[in-house]
Amino acid sequence: MRRPPRPTALLAGAAVMMASTALAVVGTASGAAAAPVCTVEYSVTNQWTGGFQGALTVTNNGTALNGWSLGFSFPAGQQVSQGWGGRWTQSGAAVTVTNESWNARLDVGAKATTGFIASWTGTNTAPTAFTLGGVPCAVNGSTTPPTSTPPTDPPTTPPTDPPTTPPTTPPTTPPTSPPPTPVTGAPELTVTGNKFTDQNGAVRRLLGVNRSGGEFMCVQGYGIWDGPADDASVQAIADWKANTVRIPLNEECWLGLDNVKPEYRGDHYVSAVKDLVTKVLAHGMTPVVELHWTHGQYTGNSSGCADTHATCQKPMPNAQYTPAFWTSVANTFKNDKRVVFDLFNEPYPDRAASTATQAWTCWRDGGTCPGIGYEVAGMQDLLDAVRATGAKNLVLVPGLAYSNDLSQWLTYRPSDPAQNLGAAWHVYNFNTCSTETCWNDTLAPVAAQVPLLAGEIGENTCGHAFVDRVMKWFDDRGLSYLGWTWNTWNCNSGPALISSYDGTPTAFGIGLRDHLRAVNP
């Protein structure tokens, strides 16, 4: 969301994105068909003591389906604890995955993948038989090795394996973690499939608030934070049962440009940010450091100001300062993987470009972009700057239209050598993508492949009916969200969660506070 000069209204933008991998399975086949109606590939994508992450890819070889149900049985007592890309149920060994509303359609020849996390003990033998709508599917090569071993191995292995494996694993795995136990305090976050996971492999959701101020106070000459940033104020956030705090920053203040008052720039600013990050971590919460306001003159469509300096929101980061900003920030926090990096608040090159292709290309690659008068740093440039420092921290990348559009995020996403990348999306009741239909159509496919965080959710009604809908949609899919904002502003100038920094909620904030306390008791 945009934070204008102190008295002005915020411009929020964003798109919500949903995580769920589409599982496509062929429905009922007609007659005694010679060819199988579907083909299934099963694979273990990650495994740890007592748990593993699996993936299923289904190809529809029959007629187009509008609704499907995939069935299989685990042969060695595995138990699914979480699944995505479909609705998962398990009874004994039998597992059933049915479509979600958004991925019910599966055309002929189409593929879709769904994923899950499950526990195992002893051996993690793959299932060998799958049905689609009750009709058997063919099993592709990735699942055959476990199936073909029994005919050859039994004669050779019985004398060796039975004595060795039973004593080894049973004592260790049962006590450990069918679902992995989450680490205490703020986790070191890693991307596993389309989930955030911690050091133990436990799936984590980022649920909390934004703490605005660091993006505008310093450059406007008022200070560094809007309101207190002491221990008591951070404790008040933790008392809402938040586990994440997003901290918007200003690149000119961080880098110490001389248009900023000396007391609010450079070392003073960096020290204040580090101090707040330390306090957030001390209270067991994840700090998300995010670049909000940047250098570069833009006076085109939807311009926030005519100023070259970082005194309002710009459509894209700039090549002159922003890579240096992220190089510095990454070097500051690269030895603490509990700190998350959010590359840029709300890109909107789509307002300056003539086509979606121009906008998404600018978003990823930067350079000379249509309608933007300064040299742009693309998301790939910024990610490269972070990774060049050796930082392996989780990085979040927003979409277009003030982060409210993720429609081509997967097509244009930057390449990450650390493979620790998530998608960021923002949504307010006045955004274009503010309905469940849009979320199903544009967020769900992204969330099926990468972790999704709604970095800002809010509404301008001074109530919480809209964010209640957002939170339900995200809860149903195990996704993450942060409320905008932990500041004592008038609700008419932007969604303010609190009326006092002791945590007293506004009518809008009551909705988020009560929900966080229910989700994180």
Side-chain angles (χ1 to χ4, degrees):
M1 187 149 182
R2 296 188 188 182
R3 171 65 188 169
R6 249 171 96 77
T8 335
L10 298 165
L11 173 56
V16 178
M17 180 176 156
M18 159 183 170
S20 212
T21 310
L23 166 57
V25 200
V26 175
T28 314
S30 55
V37 296
C38 58
T39 305
V40 174
E41 296 175 32
Y42 174 95
S43 61
V44 173
T45 58
N46 192 24
Q47 183 167 296
W48 52 89
T49 303
F52 71 103
Q53 180 179 334
L56 283 165
T57 298
V58 182
T59 305
N60 182 0
N61 304 323
T63 57
L65 294 177
N66 189 12
W68 47 264
S69 176
L70 179 69
F72 66 94
S73 292
F74 276 123
Q78 297 99 323
Q79 290 289 316
V80 174
S81 58
Q82 300 182 53
W84 48 93
R87 298 177 185 179
W88 288 74
T89 57
Q90 182 169 358
S91 177
V95 180
T96 303
V97 192
T98 57
N99 62 276
E100 298 276 9
S101 59
W102 53 269
N103 66 355
R105 176 78 181 176
L106 186 65
D107 292 328
V108 180
K111 298 187 176 203
T113 302
T114 188
F116 64 92
I117 291 175
S119 62
W120 64 281
T121 58
T123 58
N124 189 14
T125 310
T128 58
F130 299 84
T131 61
L132 178 61
V135 179
C137 299
V139 180
N140 245 11
S142 58
T143 47
T144 48
T147 328
S148 54
T149 356
T152 35
D153 285 355
T156 42
T157 48
T160 343
D161 289 347
T164 352
T165 44
T168 334
T169 45
T172 12
T173 39
T176 340
S177 53
T181 305
V183 298
T184 55
E188 293 182 359
L189 291 166
T190 302
V191 169
T192 305
N194 66 345
K195 302 293 180 184
F196 298 123
T197 55
D198 65 18
Q199 302 95 300
N200 291 350
V203 173
R204 306 297 290 258
R205 297 174 67 198
L206 304 183
L207 304 171
V209 303
N210 285 263
R211 180 66 176 87
S212 183
E215 73 273 36
F216 65 88
M217 288 290 286
C218 58
V219 77
Q220 292 173 3
Y222 296 118
I224 293 177
W225 306 116
D226 182 25
D230 57 7
D231 191 71
S233 69
V234 178
Q235 176 65 57
I237 298 175
D239 288 344
W240 276 32
K241 298 299 182 181
N243 65 24
T244 303
V245 180
R246 182 170 176 259
I247 305 169
L249 301 180
N250 185 298
E251 75 179 13
E252 293 186 340
C253 299
W254 180 280
L255 294 174
L257 270 63
D258 61 9
N259 58 293
V260 182
K261 288 183 178 180
E263 59 268 36
Y264 304 141
R265 73 181 189 219
D267 290 346
H268 298 289
Y269 186 83
V270 172
S271 295
V273 173
K274 289 166 65 177
D275 183 63
L276 181 56
V277 165
T278 299
K279 287 183 170 70
V280 169
L281 289 169
H283 285 277
M285 298 183 289
T286 294
V288 178
V289 292
E290 172 264 319
L291 178 56
H292 215 83
W293 281 4
T294 56
H295 186 92
Q297 187 175 42
Y298 174 72
T299 57
N301 186 18
S302 300
S303 170
C305 65
D307 193 0
T308 301
H309 291 295
T311 56
C312 68
Q313 190 161 307
K314 308 298 170 69
M316 282 293 289
N318 67 92
Q320 185 175 3
Y321 294 114
T322 313
F325 168 86
W326 275 115
T327 297
S328 177
V329 171
N331 275 311
T332 301
F333 296 113
K334 69 180 180 181
N335 293 323
D336 193 341
K337 285 187 66 181
R338 297 174 298 172
V339 182
V340 176
F341 302 151
D342 188 349
L343 290 182
F344 189 67
N345 178 47
E346 292 178 349
Y348 60 99
D350 46 299
R351 300 296 178 94
S354 302
T355 67
T357 299
Q358 289 178 341
W360 282 103
T361 302
C362 173
W363 174 86
R364 182 190 60 197
D365 300 334
T368 302
C369 292
I372 300 177
Y374 55 87
E375 190 77 4
V376 168
M379 296 302 119
Q380 187 68 63
D381 298 319
L382 303 188
L383 182 59
D384 290 347
V386 170
R387 296 300 182 224
T389 68
K392 300 293 192 293
N393 305 58
L394 170 64
V395 173
L396 301 172
V397 185
L400 296 186
Y402 301 101
S403 299
N404 188 242
D405 177 9
L406 295 177
S407 59
Q408 297 190 53
W409 194 97
L410 293 173
T411 302
Y412 287 90
R413 65 176 156 184
S415 173
D416 182 14
Q419 297 184 1
N420 204 17
L421 201 67
W425 179 75
H426 295 183
V427 70
Y428 294 85
N429 59 310
F430 47 82
N431 287 147
T432 300
C433 190
S434 58
T435 66
E436 286 81 354
T437 299
C438 184
W439 307 339
N440 291 336
D441 291 344
T442 63
L443 290 189
V446 179
Q449 295 195 38
V450 296
L452 172 63
L453 167 69
E456 294 182 14
I457 64 172
E459 58 187 287
N460 59 0
T461 66
C462 297
H464 54 83
F466 176 74
V467 294
D468 288 347
R469 287 170 44 211
V470 175
M471 291 187 289
K472 181 184 186 310
W473 195 90
F474 271 60
D475 287 341
D476 288 347
R477 292 153 183 84
L479 305 178
S480 303
Y481 47 83
L482 308 175
W484 182 273
T485 173
W486 190 271
N487 294 76
T488 57
W489 304 333
N490 186 300
C491 64
N492 294 319
S493 67
L497 294 166
I498 54 171
S499 58
S500 166
Y501 286 98
D502 65 5
T504 302
T506 60
F508 163 64
I510 285 172
L512 181 68
R513 183 200 64 181
D514 292 353
H515 193 81
L516 291 178
R517 287 178 174 176
V519 173
N520 294 327

